[in-house]
Amino acid sequence: MTCAVYLASASPRRKELLTQLGIEFSQFSVDADESQLANELPYDYVERLARLKAQMGVEQGYTDRPVLGSDTVVVMDNQSLCKPRDKDDFTHTLKRLSGNTHQVLTAIAFATPEKVMSCVVSTDVTFKILNDEEIDAYWQTGEPQDKAGGYGIQGLGGRFVTHISGSYFAVVGLPLYETEQLLHTFLRG
């Protein structure tokens, strides 16, 4: 693919994944309000944020090529589990995920001044049963602090995962297949 895009994200994981697609890109960050609206379902929430980030890039003057926005949320019992506020919040979250299957929703959006297109990818992730020592030791690594749902599947948190159904790359932060397909559709439409 010869198209170049902008990546509206400071995430090193998204940068690495987009590089795997062989798409030329420039990266910048946007300061989006990531608060979930009252009564907003997780699916709608993550898609709104991806679209917002892409559109903010356009508003900041990145208009000569498509802007890619993305966001990821971990969902358990139809409730969004965001980045942990503190150790207590993290511990509560990991105890909820322990021994259960949850969903990871990753939304991607492309925007130009003329249009916006988006999609959401859902992946089921199952955790082993965790004990208090494992949860505490994982917190001490520092990895969970900036991760949706309090874990990174591509890092030390991956050892808790017993099964995944869907896109591994979406759980990391950017679904490769769907990103490439959406970009093709966006450029054609």
Side-chain angles (χ1 to χ4, degrees):
M1 179 179 298
T2 58
C3 175
V5 301
Y6 291 111
L7 174 60
S9 170
S11 167
R13 293 169 300 281
R14 288 193 177 104
K15 177 182 179 182
E16 182 180 313
L17 290 171
L18 193 54
T19 299
Q20 288 184 33
L21 287 178
I23 298 171
E24 181 185 329
F25 68 95
S26 299
Q27 185 177 20
F28 63 91
S29 63
V30 292
D31 188 21
D33 178 358
E34 297 189 8
S35 303
Q36 190 168 359
L37 303 175
N39 301 317
E40 186 175 33
L41 296 174
Y43 185 99
D44 299 329
Y45 167 58
V46 74
E47 186 171 33
R48 177 179 61 81
L49 287 182
R51 293 174 71 93
L52 173 66
K53 291 174 182 181
Q55 290 171 311
M56 286 178 74
V58 171
E59 290 168 8
Q60 290 177 15
Y62 296 94
T63 58
D64 59 317
R65 55 180 118 149
V67 176
L68 170 60
S70 184
D71 203 77
T72 301
V73 66
V74 174
V75 180
M76 182 77 185
D77 301 325
N78 211 29
Q79 180 184 12
S80 301
L81 304 176
C82 300
K83 297 174 185 175
R85 294 182 305 274
D86 53 32
K87 185 178 180 187
D88 288 340
D89 185 40
F90 162 78
T91 300
H92 176 74
T93 297
L94 266 279
K95 285 185 176 185
R96 286 184 70 187
L97 299 179
S98 175
N100 290 307
T101 299
H102 61 275
Q103 290 70 48
V104 177
L105 303 177
T106 296
I108 52 173
F110 284 101
T112 60
E114 297 77 33
K115 64 183 175 180
V116 181
M117 292 179 100
S118 59
C119 73
V120 178
V121 177
S122 178
T123 303
D124 290 336
V125 179
T126 304
F127 265 30
K128 72 176 194 161
I129 296 173
L130 303 172
N131 62 45
D132 291 343
E133 292 77 26
E134 289 173 304
I135 293 171
D136 184 60
Y138 184 46
W139 176 260
Q140 298 305 323
T141 68
E143 183 177 276
Q145 281 82 339
D146 71 336
K147 307 284 190 294
Y151 75 95
I153 195 169
Q154 74 285 0
L156 299 171
R159 69 179 182 259
F160 303 144
V161 177
T162 63
H163 183 76
I164 181 171
S165 179
S167 170
Y168 167 80
F169 296 109
V171 179
V172 176
L174 190 71
L176 298 182
Y177 172 79
E178 292 83 356
T179 299
E180 186 173 61
Q181 295 305 305
L182 184 62
L183 181 57
H184 283 299
T185 302
F186 187 84
L187 296 174
R188 282 195 310 263

